[in-house]
Amino acid sequence: MSFKWDDQMVRSDVAVMISSEAIQGRVKELGEQITRDYAQKDVLVIGLLNGVYVFFADLTRSMDLDAEIAFMRLGSYGSGTESSGAVKLIQDLDKPIKGRHVLVVEDIIDTGLTLQRVTALLQERNPASLKICTLLDKPSRRKVQIKADYTGFSIDDHFVVGYGLDMNGKYRNLPYVGVYNPA
Ligand code: IMP
Ligand code: MG
């Protein structure tokens, strides 16, 4: 069977920004970098649901580490492309992280409010270290000072969908990252 997902799934309301091949290449590099940095360390990798699910599955499988996996869920985007500003904790961890090396994985950093909340919350619990990995970063949108330790791609200010990122719950299953642009 031979077909290219990118060609098959291109649609009129999404313009491809980062192809699935480009994402896979970058995710592999990030996985290798994280593997080197956390060699011999007991690492807990925390994914922020829901947007991270695709990136998280690929990233964690590109890490050659005995990593423990956990998830948290926070909410800020009610609907559409604008955030309400308030970040609520919907699902917390079910174990302490004291003394653990924690790597938080996010799909995209926009205003930085979500990660500000998450890092404050986790830092209080005294992990051995706390780092951030994000697939995408929109630095021009930042409202608070948050910097990732590992960044897949830095992008301009566009609302993007695909590879886990959604618009009102849809488009997450596109294999590429694209700019949402309704007709
Ligand atoms: P922040 O709290 O403003 O940094 O936003 C982080 C969250 O907003 C991310 O985890 C995403 O769920 C969502 N978000 C921000 N920008 C986009 C986008 O361009 N497309 C889809 N979701 C986004
Ligand atoms: Mg998210």
Side-chain angles (χ1 to χ4, degrees):
M1 189 163 72
S2 92
F3 60 82
K4 262 183 90 212
W5 279 104
D6 283 2
D7 294 339
Q8 291 279 316
M9 296 185 64
V10 165
R11 34 192 302 163
S12 60
D13 51 354
V14 180
V16 179
M17 179 190 258
I18 311 171
S19 71
S20 114
E21 286 86 354
I23 296 170
Q24 293 314 319
R26 187 71 186 116
V27 169
K28 193 167 169 282
E29 288 174 358
L30 290 173
E32 287 166 358
Q33 199 183 340
I34 291 166
T35 300
R36 282 194 299 275
D37 294 354
Y38 286 90
Q40 323 297 335
K41 280 185 185 153
D42 168 38
V43 59
L44 173 65
V45 192
I46 302 176
L48 303 186
L49 295 171
N50 295 329
V52 86
Y53 83 103
V54 181
F55 175 47
F56 195 79
D58 287 344
L59 181 72
T60 54
R61 286 179 299 170
S62 74
M63 295 176 190
D64 187 9
L65 296 166
D66 277 324
E68 184 177 343
I69 301 301
F71 294 97
M72 291 174 81
R73 189 168 167 216
L74 292 101
S76 63
Y77 280 66
S79 65
T81 59
E82 278 309 306
S83 167
S84 66
V87 180
K88 60 176 187 287
L89 179 64
I90 300 169
Q91 186 193 311
D92 202 348
L93 301 169
D94 52 13
K95 275 195 196 176
I97 58 164
K98 191 169 187 303
R100 308 285 309 270
H101 291 284
V102 173
L103 177 64
V104 174
V105 184
E106 172 67 303
D107 52 354
I108 185 165
I109 309 180
D110 186 31
T111 62
L113 288 165
T114 303
L115 274 169
Q116 184 187 50
R117 179 84 204 277
V118 172
T119 50
L121 207 82
L122 296 180
Q123 209 58 268
E124 270 174 24
R125 302 178 188 176
N126 297 312
S129 69
L130 181 58
K131 285 190 177 183
I132 297 170
C133 175
T134 187
L135 175 70
L136 303 172
D137 188 8
K138 286 199 268 192
S140 65
R141 294 259 307 167
R142 210 67 102 247
K143 288 186 181 157
V144 292
Q145 216 199 322
I146 283 285
K147 230 181 142 291
D149 300 280
Y150 306 93
T151 301
F153 303 90
S154 193
I155 64 171
D156 291 336
D157 182 14
H158 296 290
F159 193 83
V160 288
V161 295
Y163 197 68
L165 290 105
D166 75 308
M167 167 68 189
N168 290 341
K170 301 223 170 126
Y171 302 93
R172 292 193 197 275
N173 57 321
L174 298 178
Y176 51 83
V177 169
V179 179
Y180 177 67
N181 192 4

